[in-house]
Amino acid sequence: EAQVTQNPRYLITVTGKKLTVTCSQNMNHEYMSWYRQDPGLGLRQIYYSMNVEVTDKGDVPEGYKVSRKEKRNFPLILESPSPNQTSLYFCASSGQQGNYEQYFGPGTRLTVT
Amino acid sequence: QKEVEQNSGPLSVPEGAIASLNCTYSDRGSQSFFWYRQYSGKSPELIMFIYSNGDKEDGRFTAQLNKASQYVSLLIRDSQPSDSATYLCAVNPSNQFYFGTGTSLTVIP
């Protein structure tokens, strides 16, 4: 089954404790992306990757890091989480370098206390 | 100015009616336009995408694009209660994606 998976689905952590949210897709897609979704602000792109070893900042990259060492994986790293990073996070992937539809993962609900 | 603007709603229509959802965008270089549906607590799922001016139909859904007016819309014919969701408009003027905040639609049985 073609899918985008994210782990963990739910995470409660404390300020400053480094964490990684994993994202993996099995569709051989070149384009992968991370979003956060907040009430009233909608989906905002954090980082995206056009292909392996190519990553670029989206609209809200501050406080986040990503890497793309393999085509299928695109982890999101919060090195020192803060309460304002409490949000719902989605990973997405797309073929054709983003020119076509994105497929979204199930989401990760992160709470930073 | 936001890249993508949508009326947040809520929009309520009776079952069987036509629901009309609207979206405007600011970047004239935008080439691709997408409509996603998101049920509460779920991830967005693609309904339609459109690249060319005019209409594109897929079942009960029709996307309309007017690049001169920087306007894209989604019509849902014969609306069903299962269409009740938030509808997100998205554009990608470059390699980035910009989403509107979504329009909440309720279809009343």
Side-chain angles (χ1 to χ4, degrees):
Chain A
E1 180 189 355
Q3 60 182 352
V4 178
T5 56
Q6 294 178 229
N7 283 291
R9 294 288 314 279
Y10 302 91
L11 179 60
I12 300 174
T13 190
V14 296
T15 299
K17 186 177 181 181
K18 181 179 179 179
L19 66 92
T20 299
V21 184
T22 64
C23 173
S24 183
Q25 51 94 4
N26 63 1
M27 295 170 279
N28 200 37
H29 282 165
E30 294 91 1
Y31 188 97
M32 296 187 75
S33 182
W34 276 102
Y35 297 88
R36 61 178 290 173
Q37 188 171 35
D38 303 287
L41 297 176
L43 270 168
R44 293 179 293 168
Q45 195 168 35
I46 302 171
Y47 270 95
Y48 63 96
S49 170
M50 301 286 286
N51 215 320
V52 176
E53 303 292 359
V54 180
T55 62
D56 281 291
K57 296 178 181 179
D59 252 8
V60 288
E62 295 79 18
Y64 304 95
K65 284 179 59 177
V66 294
S67 67
R68 187 93 181 272
K69 293 183 171 55
E70 304 167 281
K71 197 172 187 179
R72 62 182 291 127
N73 296 323
F74 190 44
L76 179 69
I77 303 158
L78 285 73
E79 296 214 324
S80 184
S82 62
N84 64 13
Q85 292 178 298
T86 293
S87 187
L88 178 59
Y89 291 86
F90 289 104
C91 179
S93 73
S94 171
Q96 302 279 339
Q97 296 192 339
N99 288 331
Y100 294 96
E101 61 268 33
Q102 293 184 93
Y103 295 86
F104 283 81
T108 296
R109 174 78 64 183
L110 172 66
T111 301
V112 183
T113 61
Chain B
Q1 182 186 5
K2 290 184 178 179
E3 293 281 344
V4 180
E5 302 249 21
Q6 293 181 254
N7 288 328
S8 61
L11 174 65
S12 294
V13 300
E15 184 174 356
I18 296 175
S20 178
L21 306 163
N22 305 315
C23 172
T24 58
Y25 60 94
S26 61
D27 192 326
R28 286 192 171 274
S30 300
Q31 296 294 320
S32 307
F33 307 86
F34 305 86
W35 282 101
Y36 285 84
R37 176 175 62 199
Q38 187 176 26
Y39 293 112
S40 181
K42 301 295 185 182
S43 55
E45 55 179 331
L46 183 75
I47 300 174
M48 299 271 305
F49 61 90
I50 186 167
Y51 303 135
S52 304
N53 271 332
D55 295 359
K56 180 182 179 182
E57 187 174 318
D58 184 1
R60 296 186 296 112
F61 299 96
T62 299
Q64 300 174 316
L65 175 61
N66 183 326
K67 289 187 178 180
S69 300
Q70 296 174 249
Y71 176 93
V72 58
S73 66
L74 179 70
L75 300 178
I76 306 174
R77 290 182 299 281
D78 188 24
S79 295
Q80 301 297 308
S82 59
D83 294 327
S84 298
T86 296
Y87 289 80
L88 307 174
C89 173
V91 303
N92 67 332
S94 55
N95 296 315
Q96 284 188 244
F97 279 84
Y98 295 96
F99 282 78
T101 53
T103 298
S104 175
L105 172 66
T106 299
V107 180
I108 303 166

